[in-house]
Amino acid sequence: MYAATKFAVAGISEALAAELERDRAIGTAKDRFRPSLILGTIARPELARNLVERRFAVAFARAGFTPPDPAWPVAPAAFATAPGRTPRTLLRLIAAHVAACRADGVVRLLERFDGEAAVATPPPPAEAVAAVAEVSLARLDARFADLRGRADVSAAFDPEHEDELAPALLAAGLDAWIREQDKAGETFSVDPPPGRRPSLHARLRQTLDPESEYQRHWTFRMIGAAHHIAALKRLNDGIAASGLGPETPDRCFVVLRNQAWSDGPATRARLAELKEWGGLSLPVRGDDLRVFAALRQLAADGDPEYETWLRARRPAGGTELFSGLFGALKQETAPPPQPPTPETGRPAESGPGLGRSAGSGSESARPAGSGPGLGRSAGSGPEPVRQAGSGPGPVGGPVPVIPVGRRMDTGAELELKLSALARHTAVFAGSGSGKTVFLRRLIEECALLGVSSIVLDSNNDLARLGDPWPAPPPGWGDGDADKAARYFAETEVVIWTPGRSRGRPLTFQPLPDFAAVLDDRDELETALALAVEALAHRANVDGASAKARKGKAILRQALAHFARSGGGSFAAFLGLLGALPLEVSQIDRADQLAAELGQLLTAATITDPLFAGHGEPADPAQLLTPSPGKRARVSVISFVGLGDQARPAFVNQLQMALFSWIRRNPARGRPLSGLYVMDEAQALVPATPKTEALASTLTLASQARKYGLGLVFATQTPRGLHNHIAGNATTQFIGRINSPTQIEVVKGLARARGGRADRVGRLEAGQFYAASDGVPEALVRARQCLSHHPPDPLTEQEIIERAGRRPARLRS
């Protein structure tokens, strides 16, 4: 027996193995096995017919259907061509014929098994086809009713178990709703199941325009917590994860809650914002969840008639929840959305499409922070060739991509669509992870495609972006030497040193360019809000006292009057505060309070040289526009001249200027107009406390994507970063993390996107988990940067020396 088994594994035929077993195995071994039955071919037509009839009889009896012939839909004459074929081949041919009939919607008789052209036969009467279809529907009706009646969904309303059960039930219901739409459902998708303790339980996406990847999102979260603090926390986490806000009308966050909300002021204020921003708080019936549970089991059954039954019965769309959300939608007749116009940054027209919610009115289609970005394989097409300074490719040309790294599982190059950067990127990696090298290579690859960057350098690690390697370094791959030569020939790197007059200083005017947004009420309100946030701290009116609140209100009224009067310099605004017209404010003693504000702001210009001071103006056009003959400019803003307290204020002013500039200069059909990189972002926009840079950063995170500006946020301590930053980043890279607390944070971020990042604490330098919406997690090894990167950072003197260089073509 042992010999027979050994020979069989080694490739000896079954017949030889059986012979060895028969001749050499001991008797007790023979008694334990039976000879294998090897089926031969069918010898007679009668045997083939008998085989098919017996096989079909079981299926017909289960369906409760009486066929016109026991072998239907096989023609009686077909069995004459069956001899010489195995039973398996015969049944496979019948299955293929049935599948073809289902695809065509017409039942035809199978005339032959020998592959020759079948004799055309008239289809059965329409009444017979309808009868068959009705039998199948009735069978699934009964199965659905049984599953719904037996479904126990009570645990889904338990706050201790809602995170386990609600995601699966909602995903099953949304998936069924999509299938019910037939062709119209092809624009919809459901996100993979979230991980443990998710902020959201489900997300439905609608792709409005495949070219620009505009999307709308409907997000769902059950909240059963009885305690008001726990319920409010889940509400806040859900709003943050959904992307809901005043600047994102392409989001609808649906809270499913059957209990009454607390009457506390914090809860009521948050619910008011939810309603104002287009979110909903709805009760959910147990019968709806039982429908979703039954649909989940039906989908798992794999019945071939399931989708036909769904389109005929539409059980998901008939639930109270989905009929209220989607019942009035007219997606079948919606025209494709138009790309944003240069004047407004919004589509020229938004057809009826799918609205945010039933009865919510029409809304503009705007770029969303989602859609596939990663996943293009290396070798999928040549890199487009463009003229210097032409930008990242013409509209309608090849899709520009940048390499991210080589996959650790397959060795294939993983590439990122350049357009995905417009939906923002977050890099979470600790010390020694290779984060700086990764950021530099990202900036360099964008520059090779004609995309300029503004880079905030907190640790003196990025000012060498203009330094070539003295010799090819380890970690370069094929073609990297040529890329480095092109990078230094086509890219100019300019180092800026705000606060250091010996280098290349930058100064800012505190007010945005109101004239650029005067014709757009929404944009004007945003610009006013940013200006108030920028000035309130320096005018000492950002507190909670009555005087501070009145002062802040007067400051906003004065700014609004100044903007609608045509704007002007900051000195002109200070003059307005010194002689405030009576009609500007109805607040008592407004003119005296305004004069005090003017004095405090004047004092700020004296004590802070960056605040309305002297130096080169921080014009984003200058920071992002290359000199003639160059394709891209990389503006590295070094913080060597700024203390920790001054950095947020400087960044806030920079971002205000950048907001005004992108408003006037949208991408205009290009995938990316520029890149803004914030290293050590947790120091500028921490979770707590609030900094001067927070408001403008959040505004950029929500607004910049529609103008084509990509934001990159990098941090060693993801827990310390404001949660809205990670929530607005479509693409995330996770490198080695050293702190156990931070490891748990990034694992939670990975689980929220359907990944695991289980090795994040053991990754080597240069290894990163890469993930994007709609793209599964992949572990990649990033390539070495193209510019010189020794282990030690630059000194202040070395940075100032580089800042003094005139931009010029560098040696390759």
Side-chain angles (χ1 to χ4, degrees):
M1 177 64 186
Y2 172 78
T5 304
K6 180 178 179 181
F7 288 143
V9 172
I12 304 299
S13 67
E14 291 185 8
L16 179 57
E19 180 181 346
L20 291 173
E21 178 185 351
R22 184 182 65 249
D23 296 342
R24 302 186 183 182
I26 61 176
T28 54
K30 296 178 183 179
D31 295 338
R32 299 175 187 173
F33 301 92
R34 66 177 63 176
S36 60
L37 177 62
I38 301 176
L39 296 177
T41 59
I42 297 174
R44 302 187 308 277
E46 298 80 13
L47 183 62
R49 183 178 179 87
N50 189 33
L51 177 79
V52 171
E53 288 180 356
R54 289 177 178 239
R55 181 66 176 259
F56 282 11
V58 177
F60 289 142
R62 185 183 299 121
F65 173 65
T66 302
D69 182 85
W72 183 84
V74 180
F79 294 106
T81 63
R85 285 167 174 74
T86 64
R88 181 186 299 273
T89 301
L90 200 70
L91 295 176
R92 289 178 62 184
L93 290 171
I94 295 174
H97 174 76
V98 171
C101 291
R102 290 180 57 218
D104 296 339
V106 177
V107 180
R108 297 181 296 270
L109 293 181
L110 177 61
E111 299 290 343
R112 309 182 67 88
F113 291 110
D114 56 5
E116 298 178 8
V119 177
T121 58
E127 295 79 3
V129 176
V132 174
E134 192 57 39
V135 167
S136 297
L137 294 178
R139 173 175 55 82
L140 286 170
D141 286 344
R143 171 71 170 155
F144 172 71
D146 177 61
L147 291 172
R148 182 178 59 183
R150 291 190 289 110
D152 181 9
V153 296
S154 56
F157 296 95
D158 183 350
E160 297 297 325
H161 299 285
E162 63 186 22
D163 288 344
E164 305 167 15
L165 300 179
L169 294 176
L170 290 169
L174 291 169
D175 181 71
W177 182 85
I178 290 173
R179 299 189 189 195
E180 290 172 8
Q181 313 311 308
D182 200 8
K183 293 294 185 182
E186 293 177 357
T187 62
F188 293 89
S189 64
V190 180
D191 276 12
R196 292 180 61 252
R197 303 183 69 82
S199 299
L200 296 173
H201 287 154
R203 185 188 296 265
L204 174 71
R205 302 172 184 271
Q206 182 198 13
T207 300
L208 298 172
D209 184 1
E211 293 300 322
S212 61
E213 297 180 345
Y214 289 1
Q215 291 188 341
R216 288 195 182 122
H217 294 192
W218 290 261
T219 48
F220 298 82
R221 163 84 214 211
M222 289 192 70
I223 301 180
H227 196 278
H228 66 281
I229 294 179
L232 180 58
K233 182 182 185 305
R234 287 163 173 77
L235 177 62
N236 287 333
D237 291 347
I239 289 176
S242 70
L244 187 71
E247 307 299 337
T248 52
D250 50 358
R251 299 288 191 272
C252 178
F253 177 41
V254 183
V255 181
L256 304 176
R257 181 173 174 84
N258 291 354
Q259 300 186 46
W261 289 98
S262 166
D263 288 329
T267 300
R268 289 300 167 189
R270 202 56 167 155
L271 290 173
E273 289 179 335
L274 176 74
K275 181 178 180 181
E276 178 185 354
W277 297 340
L280 299 167
S281 177
L282 303 173
V284 58
R285 298 174 57 235
D287 193 55
D288 282 2
L289 297 185
R290 283 188 285 273
V291 169
F292 298 158
L295 292 172
R296 182 186 180 194
Q297 184 56 53
L298 277 176
D301 289 347
D303 193 295
E305 302 295 336
Y306 174 58
E307 291 201 18
T308 302
W309 176 81
L310 276 179
R311 290 192 291 270
R313 300 297 193 242
R314 296 180 177 264
T319 59
E320 182 176 313
L321 175 62
F322 287 174
S323 62
L325 281 173
F326 308 132
L329 305 179
K330 304 291 185 182
Q331 69 272 19
E332 294 86 357
T333 60
Q338 301 298 317
T341 63
E343 292 75 17
T344 66
R346 298 186 178 90
E349 295 183 4
S350 297
L354 275 176
R356 172 177 294 164
S357 60
S360 65
S362 61
E363 62 180 17
S364 299
R366 297 167 69 176
S370 54
L374 290 169
R376 185 180 182 273
S377 301
S380 60
E383 181 181 352
V385 178
R386 290 175 288 278
Q387 299 297 319
S390 63
V395 178
V399 176
V401 295
I402 58 174
V404 170
R406 291 203 172 273
R407 294 180 62 111
M408 301 290 290
D409 52 356
T410 65
E413 186 76 45
L414 191 64
E415 293 179 324
L416 177 68
K417 288 182 183 178
L418 190 61
S419 59
L421 293 182
R423 297 186 300 277
H424 311 329
T425 303
V427 182
F428 305 115
S431 176
S433 62
K435 172 173 67 73
T436 302
V437 171
F438 180 83
L439 286 177
R440 292 173 67 165
R441 187 63 185 254
L442 185 68
I443 295 164
E444 292 160 351
E445 292 288 350
C446 286
L448 287 170
L449 292 175
V451 176
S452 296
S453 301
I454 298 174
V455 183
L456 305 184
D457 186 11
S458 301
N459 294 331
N460 305 344
D461 293 326
L462 302 170
R464 281 196 176 98
L465 276 163
D467 296 358
W469 285 94
W476 269 8
D478 295 340
D480 279 350
D482 292 338
K483 278 191 171 185
R486 287 200 296 112
Y487 170 75
F488 288 108
E490 300 173 358
T491 307
E492 59 182 355
V493 178
V494 184
I495 312 299
W496 304 89
T497 57
R500 285 291 182 269
S501 59
R502 290 186 296 114
R504 190 183 296 270
L506 284 173
T507 60
F508 291 95
Q509 293 302 314
L511 301 182
D513 183 3
F514 288 123
V517 296
L518 194 58
D519 59 343
D520 189 313
R521 180 177 178 181
D522 292 338
E523 301 293 352
L524 177 60
E525 289 298 318
T526 300
L528 286 171
L530 289 177
V532 170
E533 289 297 325
L535 298 178
H537 174 70
R538 296 179 181 273
N540 200 24
V541 291
D542 57 345
S545 67
K547 182 177 180 180
R549 292 199 301 270
K550 287 195 295 183
K552 193 170 185 178
I554 292 171
L555 179 63
R556 182 180 178 88
Q557 290 176 317
L559 281 168
H561 177 79
F562 182 71
R564 295 188 175 96
S565 300
S569 67
F570 187 59
F573 177 65
L574 293 178
L576 174 69
L577 289 176
L580 190 70
L582 292 176
E583 67 272 14
V584 173
S585 177
Q586 302 301 314
I587 297 176
D588 188 33
R589 297 191 303 114
D591 56 338
Q592 299 178 33
L593 292 174
E596 292 181 19
L597 297 177
Q599 290 297 307
L600 289 170
L601 293 174
T602 300
T605 64
I606 298 171
T607 58
D608 184 358
L610 295 178
F611 185 69
H614 299 286
E616 293 192 56
D619 181 7
Q622 182 181 14
L623 297 176
L624 291 170
T625 304
S627 300
K630 298 290 187 178
R631 296 196 66 185
R633 169 174 283 193
V634 176
S635 286
V636 180
I637 300 177
S638 173
F639 285 170
V640 293
L642 300 176
D644 292 341
Q645 300 300 318
R647 293 178 183 183
F650 170 84
V651 169
N652 178 62
Q653 295 174 65
L654 171 66
Q655 292 176 164
M656 288 174 57
L658 192 56
F659 172 75
S660 295
W661 184 81
I662 62 175
R663 174 66 178 81
R664 299 191 307 270
N665 299 274
R668 299 182 187 276
R670 293 175 293 147
L672 199 65
S673 61
L675 200 65
Y676 180 65
V677 182
M678 182 186 291
D679 194 13
E680 302 302 335
Q682 80 285 347
L684 298 170
V685 281
T688 56
K690 182 179 179 181
T691 67
E692 282 191 68
L694 179 61
S696 57
T697 304
L698 296 180
T699 297
L700 273 182
S702 62
Q703 293 267 358
R705 63 187 60 190
K706 70 180 180 181
Y707 300 115
L709 177 69
L711 310 182
V712 180
F713 300 96
T715 179
Q716 297 186 39
T717 56
R719 187 176 186 179
L721 187 65
H722 196 281
N723 58 358
H724 284 193
I725 301 301
N728 273 293
T730 296
T731 304
Q732 294 184 357
F733 297 97
I734 301 175
R736 185 176 68 201
I737 298 289
N738 305 312
S739 164
T741 301
Q742 306 296 339
I743 288 174
E744 291 306 312
V745 173
V746 296
K747 283 185 176 180
L749 292 170
R751 287 193 294 268
R753 293 182 172 273
R756 297 170 59 187
D758 49 355
R759 293 173 48 196
V760 67
R762 305 188 304 275
L763 294 178
E764 299 176 6
Q767 293 180 350
F768 292 86
Y769 287 101
S772 188
D773 283 346
V775 178
E777 179 181 86
L779 183 60
V780 301
R781 179 179 291 280
R783 286 188 173 182
Q784 179 64 268
C785 52
L786 302 177
S787 53
H788 190 210
H789 182 64
D792 297 325
L794 291 170
T795 65
E796 178 176 338
Q797 184 59 39
E798 289 173 325
I799 291 175
I800 291 176
E801 185 274 327
R802 282 167 172 76
R805 298 173 184 172
R806 293 181 59 82
R809 185 180 298 273
L810 302 176
R811 291 186 301 114
S812 60

